[in-house]
Amino acid sequence: MQNLKLKKITDFLWEIPKEGKMQVPARIYATENMIEAIRNDNALEQAANVAHLPGIVNYSLTMPDIHWGYGFPIGGVAAFDVETGVISPGGVGYDINCGVRLLASKLTRQDLQPKIKDLVNSLFHHVPTGVGAKGELRVSIEEEKKVMRKGATWAVKKGFGSEQDLEYIEENGCIDGANPAVISPRAYERGRSQLGTLGSGNHFLEVGYVAEIYDGEAASVLGLELDQVTVIIHCGSRGFGHQVCTDYLEVMNRAVQKYGIELPDRQLCCAPINSPEGQEYLQAMCCAINYAFANRQIIAAWTRDAFEEALQMSPGDIGLRTVYEVAHNIAKMETHKVNGKEMKLCVHRKGATRAFAPGSPEIPAAYKSIGQPVLIPGDMGRYSYVLVGAEGAMENTFGSTCHGAGRAMSRHKAKKIARGRAIARELEDRGIYVKASSRRTLDEEIPEAYKDVANVVDACQMAGISKKVAQLRPLGCIKG
């Protein structure tokens, strides 16, 4: 990657010029301080490879949390003309509709701190974590089909949360176009027992508080104030989504041959959006999107139960409400202005978040004046951020921004660095009580395994694609 040409466009934007069979240039949002570390990762080559795909519009884009992924880099955004472009499972990722929900409460840090261990233990009891974790909730095949079609709406109808939650979820917790008939028996099997489970790896449920406010007006609109207790839920479509991706990578590998699509990397396998294979993947992906919406809705409901049990308080006194929920592994049909003209596009966001500007019709009415909330989790030892979408995103990134800190080292390297250390004790000494399903998870997820998310969000703000509203700091966390 050292030989890849990289041209500086502004202090926050770099470009790999179009060459060879690239259809468009690749653009990378990052500061000068970040770019050298990014150059040492194969992700830049992946960004250039994405630029080869048929029908890609304007640029192959990457956000400042860029790092290596399957086919597309994580932190990648690519929009394709719906008539001439392709859809690629590698551009969505294995964890379809992995996303983040933010809950805010009526409690303050001072209220909660003496009871944080009880609360974390209660959360660990209520929300199953770990690889292949199974929940208490078991659904029949017919109910599973309803989950695929209805998403979080299905969960609310089953008593998990309220209609008010739905108002503050991207797509209101249910996307159109799901077709359970295109889902494999193996995906049905893997999904049946995993609703309401957190999963493993970087998935977590974190209790924290509002530590800093940067935009008082936007914070007020979101109902956030200093020292207020918050909860972040970060997870996705579990084994169900993973299996959907696995199944359709096989379909797309055949489609590449069938349609004569030339690829620089077979992990970019894809199909024309309007082809039978492309349409079938879209229908299957929508099933997984809705599964993930339902999963987070159930976890949010069990989080409320855990608070009541640990704190011995009523739901009204705790007041846990959904501030917003965003997706960051998804491909969606959206209309954007390209060279002054409106175009219907299939926007892939893999490890990137939708960040629509103020006034966009997709934003909840209560937030229309400030822009779409954007939730950016960091690592378990430092901080996370709440942002809002900005005009720059609509002009330059198809309404997108970063999704998190982005890994700074591999899981293998993190485990090596953590060897001989007591990570849970180190965090507790810093006032953060952490419980995980395995020692291995804690070692892989040590804070230094991630970039400093403050640098990532600052780069996005300086580039004008999103704006900082508040910083959240952790008090306790359960890890998968």
Side-chain angles (χ1 to χ4, degrees):
M1 298 334 92
Q2 299 295 335
N3 296 326
L4 206 61
K5 290 178 190 169
L6 200 58
K7 184 170 77 177
K8 186 174 181 178
I9 305 295
T10 71
D11 286 346
F12 322 107
L13 183 60
W14 307 74
E15 183 174 295
I16 302 169
K18 179 182 166 186
E19 63 176 27
K21 293 184 178 178
M22 289 169 71
Q23 304 293 312
V24 295
R27 285 195 159 185
I28 302 101
Y29 284 86
T31 61
E32 185 106 36
N33 290 336
M34 304 170 86
I35 202 69
E36 277 315 306
I38 291 172
R39 284 182 75 101
N40 290 327
D41 190 301
N42 287 346
L44 282 188
E45 186 178 22
Q46 291 187 314
N49 287 342
V50 171
H52 288 72
L53 292 176
I56 188 168
V57 173
N58 277 0
Y59 304 100
S60 160
L61 296 166
T62 61
M63 302 295 115
D65 46 344
I66 177 177
H67 57 107
W68 185 91
Y70 184 91
F72 281 53
I74 293 164
V77 176
F80 296 86
D81 184 324
V82 294
E83 298 300 328
T84 61
V86 294
I87 185 161
S88 171
V92 174
Y94 276 94
D95 193 0
I96 298 168
N97 190 12
C98 184
V100 182
R101 179 180 293 209
L102 176 66
L103 304 172
S105 74
K106 291 181 180 176
L107 307 173
T108 66
R109 173 168 57 136
Q110 292 75 17
D111 293 331
L112 188 63
Q113 224 151 14
K115 299 172 184 172
I116 188 65
K117 287 188 178 179
D118 291 339
L119 176 59
V120 169
N121 291 334
S122 181
L123 286 165
F124 199 75
H125 170 72
H126 279 81
V127 182
T129 65
V131 179
K134 294 178 179 177
E136 290 181 4
L137 186 64
R138 301 297 165 95
V139 292
S140 66
I141 289 177
E142 287 310 307
E143 284 298 318
E144 201 176 2
K145 289 177 182 174
K146 291 177 186 173
V147 172
M148 293 178 213
R149 289 197 187 96
K150 299 294 182 184
T153 307
W154 174 88
V156 167
K157 283 190 177 166
K158 291 293 177 182
F160 300 102
S162 69
E163 295 279 342
Q164 194 179 10
D165 289 323
L166 302 178
E167 192 179 339
Y168 297 100
I169 304 174
E170 188 170 331
E171 298 291 340
N172 301 116
C174 178
I175 196 164
D176 290 337
N179 178 8
V182 302
I183 298 298
S184 71
R186 178 66 179 140
Y188 271 95
E189 185 187 337
R190 292 185 70 180
R192 205 166 303 140
S193 57
Q194 292 191 341
L195 278 169
T197 65
L198 198 58
S200 60
N202 65 343
H203 295 147
F204 65 83
L205 193 160
E206 182 176 285
V207 181
Y209 65 97
V210 180
E212 285 195 54
I213 288 178
Y214 308 99
D215 183 334
E217 183 186 345
S220 176
V221 170
L222 296 173
L224 298 177
E225 54 189 46
L226 285 174
D227 279 335
Q228 182 179 18
V229 168
T230 57
V231 177
I232 296 172
I233 298 167
H234 177 226
C235 64
S237 49
R238 305 285 288 111
F240 179 79
H242 194 283
Q243 190 62 44
V244 167
C245 182
T246 301
D247 293 339
Y248 279 90
L249 285 173
E250 290 181 20
V251 173
M252 295 301 180
N253 272 315
R254 291 193 294 273
V256 166
Q257 301 297 321
K258 179 178 173 183
Y259 297 105
I261 301 170
E262 196 176 336
L263 297 176
D265 176 0
R266 61 179 305 215
Q267 290 186 357
L268 294 174
C269 62
C270 54
I273 295 167
N274 287 329
S275 68
E277 294 87 349
Q279 288 298 302
E280 200 171 293
Y281 172 68
L282 268 170
Q283 293 165 11
M285 181 188 65
C286 288
C287 290
I289 288 171
N290 287 336
Y291 185 100
F293 280 139
N295 191 37
R296 288 191 289 270
Q297 182 65 30
I298 295 164
I299 290 175
W302 284 343
T303 298
R304 289 172 173 132
D305 291 346
F307 266 72
E308 289 168 39
E309 184 181 283
L311 307 182
Q312 293 294 297
M313 293 172 68
S314 71
D317 288 337
I318 297 168
L320 271 177
R321 65 180 171 83
T322 298
V323 178
Y324 199 63
E325 178 181 305
V326 292
H328 53 227
N329 279 4
I330 204 163
K332 292 170 79 172
M333 300 300 172
E334 296 174 1
T335 300
H336 290 273
K337 272 194 178 172
V338 178
N339 301 323
K341 290 184 181 175
E342 289 197 336
M343 273 186 82
K344 192 172 179 191
L345 303 170
C346 179
V347 182
H348 293 56
R349 296 189 182 94
K350 179 185 182 181
T353 306
R354 195 183 75 175
F356 283 179
S360 299
E362 296 83 357
I363 299 173
Y367 300 158
K368 226 159 230 172
S369 63
I370 59 169
Q372 182 210 302
V374 176
L375 312 170
I376 308 297
D379 59 77
M380 60 185 169
R382 287 179 277 192
Y383 27 63
S384 299
Y385 286 87
V386 179
L387 291 78
V388 286
E391 282 297 337
M394 308 311 289
E395 293 163 7
N396 301 309
T397 61
F398 305 105
S400 312
T401 191
C402 64
H403 88 302
R407 287 197 82 92
M409 65 179 72
S410 68
R411 289 189 165 87
H412 177 73
K413 187 173 179 185
K415 275 197 294 183
K416 201 172 169 185
I417 287 175
R419 195 171 296 150
R421 290 165 53 183
I423 303 301
R425 172 60 63 186
E426 285 179 20
L427 290 164
E428 195 168 343
D429 288 345
R430 292 157 65 176
I432 304 160
Y433 182 60
V434 175
K435 197 155 180 152
S437 60
S438 73
R439 162 77 191 256
R440 176 183 165 178
T441 297
L442 283 184
D443 289 354
E444 289 177 348
E445 295 294 307
I446 52 174
E448 56 265 46
Y450 287 87
K451 296 175 190 175
D452 186 337
V453 72
N455 295 334
V456 172
V457 298
D458 281 347
C460 290
Q461 172 154 295
M462 289 185 283
I465 57 176
S466 45
K467 285 173 58 184
K468 286 198 297 187
V469 175
Q471 183 195 73
L472 313 176
R473 285 186 178 259
L475 293 169
C477 183
I478 65 170
K479 296 285 291 184

